[in-house]
Amino acid sequence: MLSVFSDEHFMKQALEQAKMAYAEGEIPVGAVVVSNNRIIARAHNQTERLQDVTAHAEMLAITAAAGGMGSKYLDECTLYVTLEPCFMCAGALAWAQLGKLVYAAADDKRGFMKQGKEVLHPRTKISYGVLEEEARTLLQQFFREKR
């Protein structure tokens, strides 16, 4: 059973963002930032729409969360994202001193874990595999249609 405020609950919200990206022809990655069991930012990939290679879901969510909190540090926040962050996004998460990162599907090609969790801030907690199958299926379907 899905309980409110669980990792699964918030990852489902990130998956909704990924589906929005999919519908817009963007790589289907979605993210939400949570503080005190409340979503303070939602975002999905917009690299095509904005013609900006840095417009990843994580980067947009970090910017929105920091603006909403009035602080560049997100040490009391959790980021839920449907795909393992890339090196660029992991670097931004390190600078933001993110409290916790939860991602669904691993990215064996471009994910930050190729370099190790040391890419993140030392106090950032990591959890992964939450709703992995749903996230992976959406990504695979997107790329199958693109081929």
Side-chain angles (χ1 to χ4, degrees):
M1 184 164 118
L2 185 66
S3 67
V4 177
F5 308 135
S6 68
D7 285 348
E8 291 81 12
H9 170 77
F10 291 118
M11 189 61 76
K12 280 194 176 289
Q13 299 302 306
L15 277 166
E16 288 304 313
Q17 290 294 309
K19 290 174 186 175
M20 290 173 67
Y22 184 99
E24 295 172 11
E26 300 277 358
I27 295 174
V29 177
V32 297
V33 178
V34 174
S35 177
N36 295 318
N37 290 321
R38 198 176 113 247
I39 295 175
I40 61 169
R42 300 171 190 267
H44 58 276
N45 274 358
Q46 294 186 40
T47 59
E48 298 300 325
R49 178 183 195 194
L50 300 176
Q51 291 297 293
D52 179 355
V53 296
T54 69
H56 291 193
E58 302 94 309
M59 299 295 277
L60 297 172
I62 290 167
T63 300
M69 291 189 66
S71 172
K72 63 183 177 180
Y73 298 117
L74 302 177
D75 55 322
E76 299 293 321
C77 298
T78 300
L79 171 73
Y80 292 87
V81 63
T82 58
L83 183 64
E84 176 185 342
C86 69
F87 299 123
M88 172 186 71
C89 293
L93 294 171
W95 284 109
Q97 298 181 19
L98 182 71
K100 183 177 179 185
L101 168 65
V102 180
Y103 64 88
D107 184 348
D108 297 331
K109 269 184 148 178
R110 293 192 165 92
F112 78 93
M113 286 299 282
K114 286 181 81 166
Q115 290 294 103
K117 64 182 181 180
E118 294 77 23
V119 174
L120 298 175
H121 192 274
R123 289 188 299 268
T124 301
K125 295 174 179 71
I126 304 172
S127 180
Y128 55 89
V130 177
L131 302 182
E132 177 179 9
E133 188 59 37
E134 292 91 330
R136 184 173 311 291
T137 298
L138 187 63
L139 284 159
Q140 288 171 341
Q141 182 178 340
F142 176 82
F143 285 113
R144 227 182 352 263
E145 290 175 6
K146 289 291 180 191
R147 291 185 185 119

